[in-house]
Amino acid sequence: MSKYRVQGGNRLVGDIYIGGCKNACLPILSAVVLANDVCRISNIPNISDALLSLDILEALGAKIKRINKNTVDIDPRTITSHVVPHDLAQHMRASYYFLGSLLGRFGDARVSMPGGCNFGVRPIDQHLKGFQALGATVPAIIENGMIDASATQLIGNSIYLDVVSVGATINVMLAAVKARGTTIIENAAKEPHVVDVANFLNTMGADVRGAGTDTIKICGVRVLHGVEYSIIPDQIEAGTYMACAVATGGDIILHGVIPKHLESISAKLREMGAQVSEDDDLVHVIMEGPIKACNVKTMPHPGFPTDMQPQVAALLAIAEGTSIITESIWDNRFRYVDELRRMGAQATVDGKVAVFQGVKSLNGCPVKAVDLRAGAAMMIAALAANGQTEIEDIQYIERGYENFLEKLHSVGADICRIDIPTITSMRA
Ligand code: EPU
């Protein structure tokens, strides 16, 4: 068990290099199952969720060779199992992507109900509806925590998603790329990571068109080849450090980003008073003066991403005036507000709406990371706060932010990791 100790008040200045996108990496690692030869995947973020995906691949029988810190060779030819063990699947939401890829490869997939961050009910009915439309048998009700999907032959079909779902869009793509005939996904998610997965599949020889729009057309192919592929940069990691710059009145240049993917975040931070400028693969954020209050509503891409909602809330907690945040993707993504309140934030939550009455400053105290992005929000609040904050449950943060402490430290944050002795080791 570890926690972060943060001494607030330092102005963050300097350069940060952004890693690969978690939410593209996880489905891409699952998609390797579909290839008939070795795939070299680079720009894999150094996060625990990516390591877990590699563990799942190994448990299925794939051979993994680490080339360097962010690059691996994966040989899927030795995969023989179509069962993702519960002890691995339970820790990560994205383990459900193995349903689509194993179904596409073997016509059979058995995956334990996925775990992941808890922000309300997280159904997968649209994934199952998609598999069923392709001819798979799926469970009407999930028993014993396992999901079984099987098909003698997947056959292309038209699928209208009732909700815009990143997971269902990608999972149906994974199952459909080797199906017989053409699949059309309507009301598809348009996130950059959906496009990246489609690009990866196409590099392997798939025929996926329209990713990034709300209609995706997939013509099934018989074989997908081994390829070399580099994952896109992480939009949310970049957005989080942009928020750190704003929180501390700082000046940070983010390198290795795709500025277009950051447009909705940049626009919101400008509304809060930040100067945000862009060049080829960098974004520069300078904050001078007080943060201005504003309203935020999360939406599917290209709207403001739900995965940046807690981080901007930490900013609005210390903005001048009143801000309203409306969460329109998840039912219960304001659990972190109680933690911000412990630091002195004035906020009320009513269902999917939170109102922040900005305070002059927050005060450091012990807080918890209740989920991944909530943990990032705690860090932002702590960096801006008076005094010292200790953030517990950092395993959530390390699921999605690579070298978090090192990157923040490199721009001047006063921050360290403390190992908390377990009861057993205290007794020993
Ligand atoms: N939904 C359904 N049925 C489904 C699938 C989704 O009703 O079958 C609903 C969900 O309950 C939610 C909405 O549709 O209200 C959107 O869910 P989506 O399927 O898009 O979410 P996801 O694929 O489970 C991914 C990211 C999340 C991110 C959301 C929304 C991964 C591994 N996770 O989740 O990322 O919040 O899309 O953009 O890609 C994070 O990185 O911190 C994170 C939580």
Side-chain angles (χ1 to χ4, degrees), residues 22-23 26-27 93-94 96-97 117 119 121-128 163-168 189 191 193 236 306-307 328-331 333 372-373:
K22 168 178 88 76
N23 291 345
L26 305 179
R93 190 79 198 148
Y96 57 38
Y97 287 130
C117 290
F119 19 79
V121 187
R122 297 185 71 177
I124 57 160
D125 57 303
Q126 299 302 305
H127 304 229
L128 300 183
V163 288
V164 179
S165 160
V166 170
E191 270 66 6
H193 30 289
I236 304 300
T306 174
D307 294 342
S328 56
I329 310 293
W330 298 112
D331 290 337
R333 208 173 191 172
L372 165 60
R373 308 303 173 187

Side-chain angles (χ1 to χ4, degrees), residues 26-42:
L26 305 179
I28 284 174
L29 292 177
S30 312
V32 170
V33 166
L34 294 159
N36 73 350
D37 208 342
V38 177
C39 291
R40 175 165 292 187
I41 312 293
S42 55

